[in-house]
Amino acid sequence: MSNPLAISEKGDIDFLSLGALVHRLDSGIDPFHKAASLQVHVSGGEFNTSANLSDCFGMRTAVASAMVDYPVGDLINERVQAMGVRPFYKRFKHDGARGPNMATVYSDRGHGVRAPVVFYNRSNEAAALLKPGDFDWKAIFAGGVRWFHSGGIFAALSETTAELIIEAMQAAKNSGAVVSFDLNYREKLWNASGGGHQRALEVMSRIVRHVDVLVGNEEDLQKGLGIKGPEVAATSGLDSSAFIAMIDDVVSRHPQIKVLATTLREVHSTNRHTWSAVAWIAGKAYVAPTCDLDVRDRVGGGDGFASGLFYGLMSGETPEEALKLGWAHGALVTTFPGDTTMAKLEQVRAFARGGSARIQR
């Protein structure tokens, strides 16, 4: 089956994402409450895809986001620039005490039988203040954008961020860009911004009407779109049948969707996972190979998968090969510290072909 997406071959920007930029304070394998030192990783689900597609896959990418003019913002901006991502910022002034702020994510990676722990401080977050009209989409899309992407975490931050996503998607559609969305349902964020699950269902449904490519697992489909499915814990994490069984319901509600995809993961311990992926592309389901992962840092693996899949689709690969590239890149991202890639394209292609961890000389 050929690629079902009408992807423009030309554009000043290959891939544009819209979302919140954050910084993650990571205590490594030490529990955060006992941490003596921290690493800083710049992240954000939408930004991660732009960063991966630029740094690993050599694409011209951009991010639209909020930026606060203070040292934390400067740190984040430096990493955006270092990953080769072109920024479109709505700038905010910090008042010297209370913000607005760039959001902070706190984490430890766990170890063995001890699970990772992640928690947040998104108080007075600049990205949550973003609203329709903050970006000149006509100017941004004027030179051509091949692909536009956003996600459910950004949608959940406030009432205005969801409306901004819809505004941007409409501009993307009008310009001829492919539109993708990662459901990324986070109950705490929907509750914190007001309206909880009921508001999430209403907002996500409105957003997904504009989407060509949807990323999300069966839990995301159930909680984010209200699609009926099995109990999430009732089946193996590697069983693709639950996800595939829900596709007809998704497509009947949103017939414009051409691609649905998700990772599959069986967690044996914090550091040992079995990994696969599944994609439905224009009426046919494809399942990636299965491999065992020795996980260094699991945060960002899903964004790594999406990035590789998007690259494959934009590069004219077959559906099978595009899925394998996503699967391979997501696997490699779990071997690096931080949320974004350190892989090279040749490593991704080698692993997708069935490569091993033998030393490369």
Side-chain angles (χ1 to χ4, degrees):
M1 167 105 29
S2 61
N3 190 328
L5 300 170
I7 306 172
S8 174
E9 295 183 2
K10 296 181 180 180
D12 288 346
I13 298 171
D14 292 313
F15 185 91
L16 168 67
S17 61
L18 167 66
L21 287 162
V22 307
H23 62 300
R24 176 161 69 100
L25 304 183
D26 172 25
S27 63
I29 65 171
D30 297 331
F32 198 92
H33 69 284
K34 294 289 187 179
S37 61
L38 303 169
Q39 284 187 288
V40 183
H41 307 300
V42 171
S43 183
E46 297 81 15
F47 164 71
N48 293 346
T49 54
S50 288
N52 294 341
L53 283 164
S54 170
D55 193 70
C56 176
F57 296 101
M59 306 199 89
R60 296 163 299 177
T61 72
V63 64
S65 191
M67 177 54 60
V68 181
D69 293 325
Y70 73 140
V72 176
D74 295 340
L75 179 153
I76 291 171
N77 180 56
E78 186 279 332
R79 180 50 43 187
V80 172
Q81 303 278 0
M83 295 300 283
V85 178
R86 179 181 175 184
F88 295 100
Y89 291 142
K90 168 69 174 180
R91 291 192 172 271
F92 294 84
K93 294 291 185 182
H94 196 275
D95 69 4
R98 299 183 182 180
N101 302 302
M102 303 299 288
T104 308
V105 179
Y106 307 88
S107 71
D108 67 59
R109 300 181 201 171
H111 190 74
V113 297
R114 176 165 51 87
V117 175
V118 178
F119 58 104
Y120 310 89
N121 181 2
R122 306 195 83 123
S123 178
N124 198 9
E125 180 181 2
L129 304 176
L130 291 173
K131 62 186 184 304
D134 280 344
F135 297 95
D136 186 347
W137 297 119
K138 184 176 180 180
I140 291 172
F141 284 100
V145 175
R146 300 175 65 207
W147 192 297
F148 174 82
H149 178 72
S150 194
I153 292 176
F154 184 59
L157 294 185
S158 69
E159 291 186 8
T160 60
T161 56
E163 298 306 317
L164 178 58
I165 290 173
I166 293 171
E167 177 190 70
M169 286 182 169
Q170 290 171 336
K173 282 291 187 182
N174 290 338
S175 76
V178 169
V179 173
S180 61
F181 188 74
D182 191 332
L183 285 166
N184 263 336
Y185 183 83
R186 298 290 187 272
E187 184 175 3
K188 289 180 181 179
L189 293 180
W190 287 105
N191 289 340
S193 64
H197 185 228
Q198 190 57 45
R199 178 172 163 265
L201 291 173
E202 187 272 331
V203 168
M204 294 288 214
S205 177
R206 290 176 57 221
I207 289 172
V208 171
R209 293 172 195 167
H210 306 280
V211 170
D212 305 301
V213 179
L214 187 64
V215 179
N217 60 27
E218 56 265 31
E219 182 176 11
D220 292 326
L221 295 176
Q222 289 179 56
K223 294 185 176 180
L225 293 183
I227 304 297
K228 292 183 179 179
E231 288 293 328
V232 172
T235 59
S236 164
L238 296 173
D239 183 4
S240 62
S241 62
F243 179 80
I244 293 171
M246 299 170 75
I247 290 172
D248 285 345
D249 198 355
V250 176
V251 176
S252 68
R253 298 189 192 188
H254 304 284
Q256 84 289 345
I257 291 176
K258 302 295 190 297
V259 178
L260 278 81
T262 189
T263 59
L264 302 172
R265 188 194 303 250
E266 188 78 50
V267 178
H268 306 292
S269 74
T270 295
N271 314 100
R272 191 70 173 173
H273 299 179
T274 305
W275 171 264
S276 186
V278 59
W280 177 92
I281 301 176
K284 183 175 179 181
Y286 302 86
V287 180
T290 298
C291 68
D292 290 326
L293 300 181
D294 294 302
V295 176
R296 179 172 180 178
D297 187 346
R298 71 170 288 170
V299 178
D303 297 326
F305 163 73
S307 305
L309 174 69
F310 297 167
Y311 169 77
L313 294 171
M314 281 191 280
S315 300
E317 302 283 358
T318 65
E320 297 95 332
E321 186 62 21
L323 177 62
K324 284 183 181 179
L325 289 170
W327 165 80
H329 185 249
L332 288 169
V333 168
T334 70
T335 72
F336 306 124
D339 303 45
T340 54
T341 191
M342 295 183 181
K344 297 293 185 182
L345 178 54
E346 55 267 29
Q347 291 177 308
V348 178
R349 289 198 178 278
F351 192 74
R353 289 193 301 265
S356 71
R358 289 174 60 87
I359 189 169
Q360 298 178 11
R361 298 186 184 275

